[in-house]
Amino acid sequence: GEDVEQSLFLSVREGDSSVINCTYTDSSSTYLYWYKQEPGAGLQLLTYIFSNMDMKQDQRLTVLLNKKDKHLSLRIADTQTGDSAIYFCAVPNNAGNMLTFGGGTRLMVKP
Amino acid sequence: ETGVTQSPTHLIKTRGQQVTLRCSSQSGHNTVSWYQQALGQGPQFIFQYYREEENGRGNFPPRFSGLQFPNYSSELNVNALELDDSALYLCASSDSGLTTDTQYFGPGTRLTVL
């Protein structure tokens, strides 16, 4: 089955850029997703990218997709303390009915 | 437009008991998926319901079962609870008629099994 890997932890200073990385094994997914989870809360959809795109920008968020290397990244510009959370990348299966999540990257933003 | 809602927020049960968790999908969505998120891990897919039929199942035993109702709301039932069933249970709704089929999540139900 699908395997999705993320680094566990990232610490940045307020105002810096954050880059969260994700690798996956199944290249047939049509869309790839980034979700944010704050303590004790559900998952908030942040953004997604279609598999035929290399880059998608949405305000402070930039998603980069390297299909050859099966690598997805999320860049947050001008990171704020409110961005502190756990970030998950998620990859659908071929049928599109199941998301496989990475283990999550905990982002800590220091003032 | 209302988002995905789940009830109850928290639940404490003992081993061997049965539990029912409920989910109301986002307005206009016809598909509901359930995920289990153990502490410190990513969510794991349990199953999905589309038009009241199971439409895919993850690696969970048969004591995890579900229902979807004509109004697209859904229930997750877990029988013979085990300690390892303690987790955050997340429901997600989506519209299978759309190309993206993006899943939108509710706030979750925190289940503790003692």
Side-chain angles (χ1 to χ4, degrees):
Chain A
E2 179 72 73
D3 190 26
V4 181
E5 298 286 339
Q6 297 179 239
S7 52
L8 283 178
F9 187 75
L10 176 65
S11 178
V12 300
R13 293 230 170 257
E14 193 173 20
D16 288 349
S17 292
S18 307
V19 179
I20 301 170
N21 295 301
C22 172
T23 57
Y24 58 96
T25 55
D26 182 358
S27 62
S28 62
S29 305
T30 52
Y31 288 87
L32 298 98
Y33 298 90
W34 284 102
Y35 287 88
K36 175 184 179 183
Q37 187 175 39
E38 299 187 23
L43 299 178
Q44 173 194 350
L45 176 69
L46 273 182
T47 187
Y48 58 86
I49 186 167
F50 189 45
S51 60
N52 70 352
M53 297 171 67
D54 297 326
M55 185 181 85
K56 178 183 178 182
Q57 188 150 1
D58 184 0
Q59 300 182 335
R60 292 192 297 124
L61 304 178
T62 302
V63 180
L64 296 178
L65 175 60
N66 183 327
K67 283 197 72 176
K68 176 176 171 289
D69 294 340
K70 298 178 186 174
H71 184 267
L72 182 70
S73 68
L74 173 69
R75 178 178 180 269
I76 305 173
D78 187 27
T79 312
Q80 303 297 308
T81 53
D83 295 324
S84 293
I86 302 175
Y87 291 80
F88 293 94
C89 66
V91 179
N93 62 347
N94 286 346
N97 62 352
M98 176 181 97
L99 291 175
T100 299
F101 286 83
T105 299
R106 182 178 294 274
L107 174 65
M108 177 181 288
V109 183
K110 298 178 182 177
Chain B
E1 182 184 279
T2 56
V4 180
T5 60
Q6 293 185 243
S7 63
T9 307
H10 296 89
L11 203 50
I12 299 175
K13 292 284 189 179
T14 56
R15 263 188 317 175
Q17 284 189 311
Q18 178 265 344
V19 70
T20 297
L21 310 182
R22 294 178 175 84
C23 171
S24 291
S25 58
Q26 184 168 313
S27 175
H29 286 183
N30 54 21
T31 302
V32 173
S33 305
W34 286 92
Y35 292 80
Q36 180 196 66
Q37 186 180 20
L39 198 61
Q41 297 182 23
Q44 299 287 320
F45 176 73
I46 303 175
F47 43 57
Q48 183 183 81
Y49 278 82
Y50 171 63
R51 292 186 176 179
E52 303 178 56
E53 296 288 331
E54 189 178 284
N55 182 44
R57 187 179 182 93
N59 190 26
F60 281 81
R63 59 190 185 84
F64 285 78
S65 63
L67 282 174
Q68 188 181 30
F69 300 99
N71 66 354
Y72 304 127
S73 66
S74 177
E75 285 182 354
L76 164 65
N77 298 290
V78 188
N79 292 324
L81 284 167
E82 300 177 0
L83 296 180
D84 284 349
D85 295 333
S86 294
L88 181 68
Y89 287 85
L90 294 163
C91 165
S93 75
S94 55
D95 183 350
S96 291
L98 296 179
T99 305
T100 62
D101 211 10
T102 300
Q103 296 188 16
Y104 295 87
F105 284 81
T109 293
R110 172 77 60 189
L111 173 64
T112 303
V113 183
L114 302 175

